[in-house]
Amino acid sequence: METLDLARWQFAITTVYHFILVPLTIGLAPLVAGMQTAWVVTKNERWLRLTKFFGKLLLINFALGVATGIVQEFQFGMAWSEYSRFVGDVFGAPLAMEALAAFFVESTFLGLWIFGWDRLSKKVHLACIWLLAIATNLSAYFILAANSWMQHPVGTVYNEATGRAEMESIGAILTNSTLLAAFPHTISAAFLVAGTFVSGIATWWMVRLVRSKKPELVALARDTYRPAVVLGAIVMLVSGIGVGISGDVQGRLMYEQQPGKMSAAEGLCESEEGAAFSLLTVGPWNPTCDDLTRVISVPGVASFLGTGHFSGPESALPGVNDVQREMEARFGATDEAGNPISYTPPLGITYWSFRLMIGLAAFSAALALWALWATRRGRTSDNPWLSRLAIVAIPAPFLASSFGWIFTEVGRQPWVVAPNPTGIDQVRLLTERGVSTAVPPGVVLASLIVFTLLYAALGVVWYRLIHRYAIEGVPQVHDESPEARARDIDADRPMSFAY
């Protein structure tokens, strides 16, 4: 394999590993903050127990997310130095802002929250977790700003003397239309992950305790786990609606900015009015248009999703062959060596990642609806099938988010910086031209093997820690705040729960 192929595999593997963890941190931090707020306001101990229970799981996920994320930025300089040379003046700005304005805030207030239970007042301690939650989401905004620029470069000029893209307006980059569509979609998906995580674990515990028939355990299920089930289910429903609405907006925008991506997602080869949405298309793993056979499709839906029209001239969508011809006319049909350039993303990966992104979210919807029905009017449930659904549903939105990320990145190919249809033609870069030219394949292969094995080990550690503390259940707690100590409530008793 050549350096390009190995570098792409390395970046893909490390990114997918990392992105499995990211949505949970983004969504769970505000939920834990909400639980602690409920405790401070109501003084009900159940919310303190839930705060510390899910807070510990948040810390595990955050730590592993940081460990797997550090490698990402090093790859830009080591395996993708030509990309860094071309876009560094632009791409580096939002990444620096993420580190300085968001990650440092996250780290600082996370530390204060961990060690401040018996040192800070309730309100100050509560402010720490909220600042962590806000900074986590702000971090996502800056990262998405960098990625959205790769999808739709704005606020940039091309310097012919240096052959580099240079930033002209940071404001334009931070208000990129692609970013404004991607951010709510990503955050909604993160809350869907977190809501499913909270409700899934709490549902498993509720069913287990109710089935024990022991009065004290049934009371624990009703008083502590049931509120978490309801909270997670409500978050799932609201965020699911947010994912659908923001995804619709994003899809229509993508038909304007990257029509090849969306046409590949639909397996649409030629321009078509009233294009059907394909539920099932068969063909080889890496098909061409001639290999695709639609088996199940819904007439007009693809056109409606892309244009808002089911039929007529306004509903016309371009096919991948149309986009190929347009790109050839605009940027050339061959490279410097005379080899033909394919401007079509891999059809198989783009098509199926798009459908898996959508389809896996159905597990969260099923859990949310059943959980709300089972817990209506103060009820609990001992139905083992509800518990089984909860276990199956927990990983589904994680996978859906990962497939969404795969779709976003693979669908942009062959570009690492996709050309803006209304921008400067020179601000574009093919993926094959962004790879480092001085790094031999053996070096990349060695690092690929090391990182894959290391990340696999970290994945095992993450799962074992999450599983271990999830099955321990909510801790026995007491109020450790300075206010409580001032009232002489067990002032000399050691902390019953420590991070």
Side-chain angles (χ1 to χ4, degrees), residues 94-114:
L95 293 184
M97 296 173 73
E98 186 272 336
L100 296 173
F103 182 71
F104 286 174
V105 175
E106 290 178 68
S107 304
T108 299
F109 287 100
L110 178 63
L112 290 172
W113 188 72
I114 294 172

Side-chain angles (χ1 to χ4, degrees), residues 260 262-270 278 280-296 319-321 344-352 355:
M262 297 306 298
S263 296
E266 295 299 336
L268 189 63
C269 297
E270 300 292 344
S278 170
L280 177 62
T281 296
V282 297
W285 168 243
N286 189 23
T288 64
C289 275
D290 296 333
D291 300 322
L292 296 175
T293 302
R294 292 188 181 186
V295 178
I296 304 174
V320 292
N321 291 335
T344 301
L347 291 179
I349 299 175
T350 308
Y351 178 90
W352 283 111
R355 274 144 189 81

Side-chain angles (χ1 to χ4, degrees), residues 17 64 450-464:
Y17 266 116
L64 269 295
V450 170
F451 284 134
T452 301
L453 295 176
L454 177 61
Y455 276 37
L458 290 175
V460 172
V461 170
W462 174 81
Y463 173 78
R464 291 178 66 89

Side-chain angles (χ1 to χ4, degrees), residues 147-168:
N147 183 265
S148 295
W149 184 87
M150 296 167 65
Q151 310 285 343
H152 183 239
V154 295
T156 307
V157 296
Y158 179 74
N159 188 325
E160 294 185 3
T162 61
R164 300 173 65 235
E166 297 180 356
M167 184 168 62
E168 185 179 45

Side-chain angles (χ1 to χ4, degrees), residues 55-365:
K56 175 173 282 190
L57 301 180
L58 170 64
L59 295 181
I60 294 169
N61 194 75
F62 185 92
L64 269 295
V66 172
T68 56
I70 291 175
V71 175
Q72 302 299 101
E73 296 189 13
F74 283 103
Q75 290 183 85
F76 291 127
M78 299 174 68
W80 298 95
S81 60
E82 289 302 305
Y83 167 79
S84 298
R85 184 197 66 80
F86 182 73
V87 306
D89 184 74
V90 183
F91 193 76
L95 293 184
M97 296 173 73
E98 186 272 336
L100 296 173
F103 182 71
F104 286 174
V105 175
E106 290 178 68
S107 304
T108 299
F109 287 100
L110 178 63
L112 290 172
W113 188 72
I114 294 172
F115 300 107
W117 281 99
D118 59 346
R119 295 175 176 85
L120 302 175
S121 68
K122 285 184 178 179
K123 292 183 179 179
V124 172
H125 190 257
L126 176 61
C128 290
I129 186 64
W130 274 113
L131 287 170
L132 166 65
I134 293 170
T136 299
N137 283 264
L138 184 62
S139 176
Y141 190 87
F142 288 127
I143 294 298
L144 286 171
N147 183 265
S148 295
W149 184 87
M150 296 167 65
Q151 310 285 343
H152 183 239
V154 295
T156 307
V157 296
Y158 179 74
N159 188 325
E160 294 185 3
T162 61
R164 300 173 65 235
E166 297 180 356
M167 184 168 62
E168 185 179 45
S169 171
I170 186 63
I173 294 172
L174 296 180
T175 57
N176 189 344
S177 59
T178 306
L179 169 62
L180 298 181
F183 181 70
H185 189 64
T186 303
I187 299 303
S188 296
F191 274 99
L192 184 64
V193 169
T196 307
F197 184 80
V198 169
S199 189
I201 293 174
T203 296
W204 181 83
W205 267 109
M206 179 185 70
V207 172
R208 181 185 184 192
L209 296 179
V210 173
R211 288 177 64 84
S212 73
K213 307 299 182 181
K214 296 179 180 180
E216 68 276 10
L217 296 183
V218 174
L220 177 63
R222 181 183 62 252
D223 297 336
T224 301
Y225 286 109
R226 180 187 172 277
V229 173
V230 175
L231 172 63
I234 292 174
V235 170
M236 278 190 279
L237 286 180
V238 174
S239 60
I241 294 171
V243 168
I245 294 174
S246 59
D248 178 63
V249 172
Q250 195 174 21
R252 297 187 187 192
L253 184 63
M254 285 301 99
Y255 261 116
E256 298 176 8
Q257 297 177 352
Q258 296 182 47
K261 174 189 292 186
M262 297 306 298
S263 296
E266 295 299 336
L268 189 63
C269 297
E270 300 292 344
S271 178
E272 187 176 337
E273 296 180 6
F277 181 82
S278 170
L279 297 178
L280 177 62
T281 296
V282 297
W285 168 243
N286 189 23
T288 64
C289 275
D290 296 333
D291 300 322
L292 296 175
T293 302
R294 292 188 181 186
V295 178
I296 304 174
S297 58
V298 184
V301 173
S303 283
F304 177 77
L305 294 175
T307 66
H309 300 277
F310 282 102
S311 60
E314 300 88 353
S315 70
L317 296 178
V320 292
N321 291 335
D322 301 287
V323 176
Q324 175 71 24
R325 288 188 288 268
E326 179 185 345
M327 292 291 106
E328 288 179 354
R330 188 175 174 185
F331 303 115
T334 60
D335 59 19
E336 292 86 347
N339 300 313
I341 300 175
S342 174
Y343 295 100
T344 301
L347 291 179
I349 299 175
T350 308
Y351 178 90
W352 283 111
S353 60
F354 184 69
R355 274 144 189 81
L356 289 169
M357 172 188 67
I358 298 172
L360 286 167
F363 288 96
S364 295

